[in-house]
Amino acid sequence: MAETYAQERTDSVAGSNSTGGQSDSFIVETADLTKMYGAFTAVDRLNLRVREGEIFGVLGPNGAGKTTSILMLLGLTEPTSGAVRVCGHNSTREPLKVKRLVGYLPENVGFYGDLTARQNLRYTAHLNGLTDRESDARIDEVLEVVGLSDVADKKAGQFSRGMRQRLGIADVLVKSPRLVVLDEPTLGIDPEGVNQLLELIVKMSREQNMTVMLSSHQLQQVQQICDRICIFFKGRIVAEGRIEELGTRALAGAQLTTEVQVARMADEFVGSLGRLEGVAGVERSGDLLLVHSDQDIREGISGLTAKLGAPLLHLRMRGYGLEEIYLKYFKEG
Amino acid sequence: MQGLMAVFQKEFADHFSSKRFVILFTLICLAGLSATYVAAQSIRGELLDKPDQQFVFLQLFTASSGVLPPFISFIGFLGPLVGIALGFDAINSEKSNGTLSRVLSQPIFRDSVINGKFLAGLATISLMLLSIVLIVAGLGLRTIGVAPSVDEAARILVFLVVCIVYVAFWMALSILFSVLFRQTATSALAGIAAWIFFVFFISMISGILANTLVPLGQDPDANTAIAHEQVDQMVSRISPSTLFQEATVTILTPGVRTLGPVLVRDVVGMIPNPLSVSQSLLVIWPQIVGLIALTSICFAISYAKFLREEIRA
């Protein structure tokens, strides 16, 4: 299972580099998808491709067009121009076929407070045309997956936000979708809840072999679980690819910055840092020293601290985290 | 179809288990029963004096002793409240609770949601009014001991249908408000404002308008008086509750031949015979059509607005 998955992932990278022709292996494909609200362009000529089986992160600040794009994917809103195909169906023309295969967890998902968790899921099952017998078995199964079996007969109105979000995932799974679209699933949940939820998403994607599209503006979380990401800014995708690739691509040719903190910040140390090979400049920022260079100088720095007897507290090269990539694109945008 | 059925079933079950429905049903039942009881008492007294009356059973719904208004007025007052209670938060509460976008992302047509809600409301109203009318009829049967004739049964059936259409209009109007307004409080208030206006204020406004447009003066001639009356009537017919009142009074009182002003010369030589059901129906046909049209218009606007709207989480 794990191996096939890895294999697929390698394929997917190859696929995303080649120029088209493999439309059947993309579960989501958009072509110049555009949405205008009056004169305002919410989504501008979006060309997005998501491979079957991957966890795809959609990043971007609020109002960048993430939700609008998702609504167009599901056929919940009509694009102004362009086309979108999900699982081989045109979302605008055949929304029902798409919605049968795609599970969508909206931002701020809600449930009927007077109904129990199970009754809420049963309604979803009925809307999907499942019979009572099919739905009861399926509901037990998905409640087990999200860990809500013991509160299945409690009213959804009493659920905490984290439980509601997990119930939302159960709700999405009821119809056994091929693609799951989660809009800001971790919003407003405490850190432990976030970790549980992310684990759940990964488990769901691996065990049930589902493709997951995940929109978020919380970078750290996405970084943990996504195979590939795209970054939205002002209705456009400014970057797309695997996180490591994006890092190298984004920071190619750029100056590297290394954060250094030592126990005793002596001027002598700062001076010797400046004389290290490849260092362009040293700047102080609070407790940290920011060392600008055109190559990786971590080795040199740790050697230097050992030589001077200054205990090294912190050493980190900026540039491979998602945060930096994100910030860089935002500055450019 | 499958989506429509699912929405219908859920909404229907919701209505019957909701507290507000139980409260209103109890209210109307109590009001209807007490009105009928009082009416039955006075009918019994009259029957002892004049035992050969026609259409005694229908009087259960229309007679009043002065202590309590008759059954039809209670439906005229309280029916709108039921309609408003069933519809005022139909769409906007689902939007604010975040359930609507979840429901719409299921494989159903969007109109299934609003159609299912409307049909479930209609079924609830029908069942509720049917049971109330049956309870009232049963009570009447027990107290006055006169069984309804076929003609009377037919009239009660028409009455029931008019009641259902009337309450359905109020539900359609409040569903429209729930599509137009974001807040449930706003849509409930808008519904109640419309109710107060159409039920209580319209007769005052029509009177003022008639006085302004066609002043009667000291000693008005027949033409002026008729014109005055017609303006008054036409303005008050804007209100669905006027239409309801005219329709139900006419269908339950077979002696009513016309709803407009009647001149003495028209009545000379007239035999005071009751109308047949079909003739009574003919008199109130415009009222019935008007009520159905108003209901359809409200529903059509909400339907169009709801289908064009973009539902965001």
Side-chain angles (χ1 to χ4, degrees):
Chain A
M1 184 68 215
E3 258 185 38
T4 19
Y5 189 74
Q7 185 61 44
E8 240 178 62
R9 259 177 65 169
T10 336
D11 284 352
S12 84
V13 175
S16 65
N17 289 339
S18 72
T19 48
Q22 297 186 4
S23 61
D24 54 338
S25 54
F26 293 109
I27 194 158
V28 175
E29 233 181 330
T30 70
D32 285 335
L33 195 64
T34 304
K35 178 74 182 178
M36 317 256 298
Y37 291 107
F40 173 71
T41 311
V43 177
D44 190 9
R45 282 163 295 169
L46 178 71
N47 287 297
L48 188 69
R49 280 171 179 177
V50 180
R51 296 277 304 202
E52 183 115 42
E54 68 181 348
I55 300 182
F56 188 81
V58 179
L59 288 175
N62 297 327
K66 303 187 299 275
T67 303
T68 309
S69 310
I70 290 174
L71 291 181
M72 286 191 285
L73 288 185
L74 289 158
L76 289 175
T77 189
E78 275 186 31
T80 310
S81 66
V84 52
R85 294 185 80 78
V86 176
C87 308
H89 301 291
N90 184 318
S91 300
T92 318
R93 301 237 176 90
E94 310 168 293
L96 252 52
K97 283 185 183 160
V98 170
K99 288 194 272 186
R100 195 157 287 141
L101 298 167
V102 181
Y104 170 49
L105 179 69
E107 194 182 343
N108 294 322
V109 63
F111 291 92
Y112 300 101
D114 290 341
L115 301 183
T116 64
R118 194 187 295 277
Q119 285 168 333
N120 268 297
L121 295 188
R122 194 169 294 150
Y123 182 39
T124 307
H126 284 168
L127 288 172
N128 280 285
L130 267 66
T131 63
D132 279 341
R133 265 186 61 194
E134 289 168 341
S135 66
D136 282 353
R138 182 69 190 155
I139 287 166
D140 284 337
E141 197 180 316
V142 295
L143 281 172
E144 188 66 47
V145 171
V146 299
L148 289 175
S149 296
D150 39 335
V151 288
D153 295 308
K154 260 176 106 178
K155 292 204 166 165
Q158 302 166 351
F159 278 24
S160 70
R161 183 148 185 135
M163 285 160 89
R164 218 161 58 217
Q165 212 60 260
R166 278 191 283 159
L167 185 58
I169 299 221
D171 183 71
V172 162
L173 292 178
V174 163
K175 64 167 103 163
S176 319
R178 269 176 72 192
L179 168 69
V180 173
V181 181
L182 310 170
D183 198 356
E184 298 281 4
T186 55
L187 204 67
I189 301 183
D190 58 65
E192 207 200 316
V194 167
N195 282 333
Q196 286 179 355
L197 197 72
L198 293 176
E199 272 170 32
L200 181 63
I201 293 171
V202 174
K203 195 172 104 183
M204 169 175 99
S205 134
R206 302 284 185 271
E207 284 177 6
Q208 323 233 356
N209 197 23
M210 285 172 193
T211 314
V212 178
M213 255 182 102
L214 174 80
S215 112
S216 180
H217 58 244
Q218 276 151 314
L219 314 162
Q220 294 309 324
Q221 303 166 359
V222 170
Q223 190 168 18
Q224 284 174 37
I225 64 166
C226 285
D227 300 320
R228 281 200 308 139
I229 59 159
C230 71
I231 298 178
F232 262 72
F233 191 70
K234 289 187 177 161
R236 290 166 185 243
I237 288 188
V238 289
E240 184 188 350
R242 294 175 63 175
I243 292 168
E244 311 86 80
E245 287 178 353
L246 282 184
T248 20
R249 214 186 304 157
L251 300 168
Q255 232 179 23
L256 295 175
T257 304
T258 313
E259 297 170 358
V260 188
Q261 192 187 0
V262 287
R264 291 177 296 278
M265 199 70 82
D267 286 340
E268 188 201 2
F269 176 67
V270 180
S272 1
L273 265 185
R275 283 190 299 277
L276 270 178
E277 195 188 322
V279 171
V282 181
E283 133 188 33
R284 238 189 165 120
S285 150
D287 282 347
L288 293 179
L289 286 171
L290 301 181
V291 185
H292 303 293
S293 61
D294 45 22
Q295 53 178 306
D296 188 351
I297 48 155
R298 283 176 293 185
E299 212 171 304
I301 293 173
S302 61
L304 191 66
T305 52
K307 204 173 79 191
L308 294 174
L312 186 62
L313 298 180
H314 173 89
L315 177 65
R316 176 173 167 267
M317 188 165 72
R318 285 187 183 173
Y320 287 117
L322 196 52
E323 197 112 16
E324 283 77 14
I325 304 170
Y326 203 51
L327 286 174
K328 176 183 151 48
Y329 282 114
F330 280 28
K331 272 182 203 151
E332 281 183 0
Chain B
M1 259 334 262
Q2 134 217 335
L4 182 68
M5 271 317 286
V7 176
F8 177 84
Q9 279 171 4
K10 178 192 170 284
E11 293 295 322
F12 195 57
D14 273 4
H15 283 323
F16 275 93
S17 53
S18 74
K19 289 190 189 79
R20 66 173 91 125
F21 177 81
V22 174
I23 293 171
L24 282 168
F25 185 78
T26 319
L27 179 70
I28 293 206
C29 252
L30 285 180
L33 283 179
S34 40
T36 321
Y37 181 73
V38 172
Q41 294 302 324
S42 65
I43 293 168
R44 274 168 74 137
E46 279 176 38
L47 268 180
L48 290 175
D49 298 338
K50 287 183 281 176
D52 56 343
Q53 285 183 53
Q54 273 188 302
F55 302 110
V56 178
F57 199 77
L58 291 181
Q59 289 180 27
L60 277 176
F61 298 94
T62 53
S64 83
S65 62
V67 186
L68 273 180
F71 181 73
I72 50 169
S73 314
F74 269 123
I75 299 287
F77 286 148
L78 299 177
L81 219 51
V82 175
I84 292 169
L86 289 179
F88 79 93
D89 62 349
I91 302 296
N92 52 10
S93 75
E94 294 234 12
K95 263 188 221 161
S96 57
N97 288 339
T99 46
L100 190 59
S101 47
R102 199 165 54 80
V103 168
L104 288 181
S105 69
Q106 309 305 332
I108 55 166
F109 290 111
R110 188 183 277 206
D111 60 353
S112 299
V113 174
I114 194 159
N115 291 347
K117 276 175 183 278
F118 184 79
L119 289 178
L122 197 63
T124 310
I125 292 169
S126 310
L127 209 59
M128 177 177 181
L129 288 171
L130 175 71
S131 45
I132 289 178
V133 167
L134 285 180
I135 292 172
V136 161
L139 178 80
L141 212 57
R142 183 95 179 76
T143 38
I144 60 172
V146 178
S149 65
V150 175
D151 192 72
E152 283 177 304
R155 282 172 186 276
I156 291 174
L157 194 67
V158 176
F159 166 68
L160 183 65
V161 171
V162 175
C163 286
I164 292 170
V165 175
Y166 176 61
V167 179
F169 160 76
W170 288 98
M171 184 187 64
L173 185 69
S174 58
I175 288 182
L176 174 63
F177 288 146
S178 87
V179 173
L180 293 180
F181 301 119
R182 221 165 228 289
Q183 304 280 337
T184 50
T186 318
S187 56
L189 266 179
I192 288 174
W195 171 55
I196 291 175
F197 179 79
F198 283 134
V199 175
F200 299 107
F201 283 109
I202 195 73
S203 56
M204 305 177 207
I205 288 169
S206 66
I208 294 169
L209 263 178
N211 284 338
T212 324
L213 293 176
V214 191
L216 279 179
Q218 278 290 326
D219 189 19
D221 56 27
N223 284 336
T224 324
I226 290 179
H228 181 272
E229 186 57 30
Q230 275 173 341
V231 171
D232 192 348
Q233 207 171 30
M234 283 337 254
V235 173
S236 69
R237 275 180 185 159
I238 295 172
S239 160
S241 73
T242 310
L243 299 180
F244 170 75
Q245 209 187 339
E246 288 179 346
T248 49
V249 167
T250 310
I251 199 71
L252 290 178
T253 322
V256 174
R257 293 166 165 257
T258 171
L259 290 160
V262 183
L263 295 180
V264 181
R265 65 158 190 252
D266 296 342
V267 202
V268 171
M270 189 181 82
I271 308 162
N273 235 8
L275 293 181
S276 67
V277 181
S278 59
Q279 291 302 308
S280 285
L281 209 53
L282 212 57
V283 173
I284 58 162
W285 198 245
Q287 273 77 4
I288 296 180
V289 171
L291 278 175
I292 295 177
L294 283 173
T295 311
S296 317
I297 289 170
C298 284
F299 183 68
I301 299 174
S302 6
Y303 183 95
K305 177 86 172 58
F306 180 66
L307 253 67
R308 276 152 203 272
E309 217 168 24
E310 187 179 88
I311 309 292
R312 284 193 161 248

